[in-house]
Amino acid sequence: MIRTPVSLLLATIILQPPHSRLGRLMAKLAARKLCADEECSYPISQAVALQDYSAPDCRFLSVQQGQVVFVYSKLMGRGRLFWGGSVQGEYYGAQPARLGYFPSSILREDHVLKPGKVEVKTEKWDFYCQ
């Protein structure tokens, strides 16, 4: 069977997982991160934003001064200045839950929930953008 370029293109599109058609992988910020558990599913701490931060790309979250931030991971190595987590709106449900990164320097950790002592390798999906 001879495959034409069009049929190869269609096969590539059809065989790709849905997430690869909807987003893109971005450059890794770090190779490792500290988490509270192996899955990074439990928040390390609750923090408050000390100033506004505008996300430069989809790996990051925009944060407004005074917002509550839940920190799930702390990047290590060259990316150590960034933490990963979610931002809480003015009231519960004010914005959809979304994970991303923000500079640690704009936060004040108010409550340690579970210490981030588990070192985890970052995956390519840690830096996937929708």
Side-chain angles (χ1 to χ4, degrees):
M1 168 186 231
I2 298 174
R3 294 187 184 245
T4 65
V6 174
S7 64
L8 287 175
L9 178 63
L10 287 175
T12 302
I13 292 171
I14 292 168
L15 296 175
Q16 281 182 334
H19 55 74
S20 66
R21 286 180 274 170
L22 301 174
R24 61 192 164 121
L25 292 174
M26 301 292 285
K28 278 189 170 190
L29 299 171
R32 303 195 72 68
K33 59 188 175 182
L34 287 176
C35 299
D37 59 88
E38 289 81 19
E39 293 82 32
C40 299
S41 61
Y42 194 89
I44 295 171
S45 63
Q46 181 179 338
V48 173
L50 300 174
Q51 65 187 60
D52 291 349
Y53 172 72
S54 294
D57 65 45
C58 58
R59 293 172 293 182
F60 299 89
L61 289 179
S62 293
V63 179
Q64 294 176 351
Q65 182 177 3
Q67 276 189 306
V68 174
V69 177
F70 288 94
V71 178
Y72 285 84
S73 65
K74 296 179 178 183
L75 296 180
M76 301 173 67
R78 64 185 174 107
R80 72 182 173 281
L81 301 177
F82 294 100
W83 293 350
S86 64
V87 177
Q88 180 65 48
E90 290 181 14
Y91 64 92
Y92 185 74
Q95 62 189 77
R98 186 169 168 261
L99 294 174
Y101 295 95
F102 29 76
S104 59
S105 61
I106 67 159
L107 301 176
R108 180 187 70 230
E109 281 185 293
D110 286 344
H111 304 288
V112 174
L113 303 172
K114 189 173 181 182
K117 294 184 178 182
V118 179
E119 193 173 316
V120 177
K121 183 178 175 183
T122 59
E123 300 292 334
K124 61 184 178 181
W125 302 116
D126 288 323
F127 307 102
Y128 181 78
C129 292
Q130 291 276 341

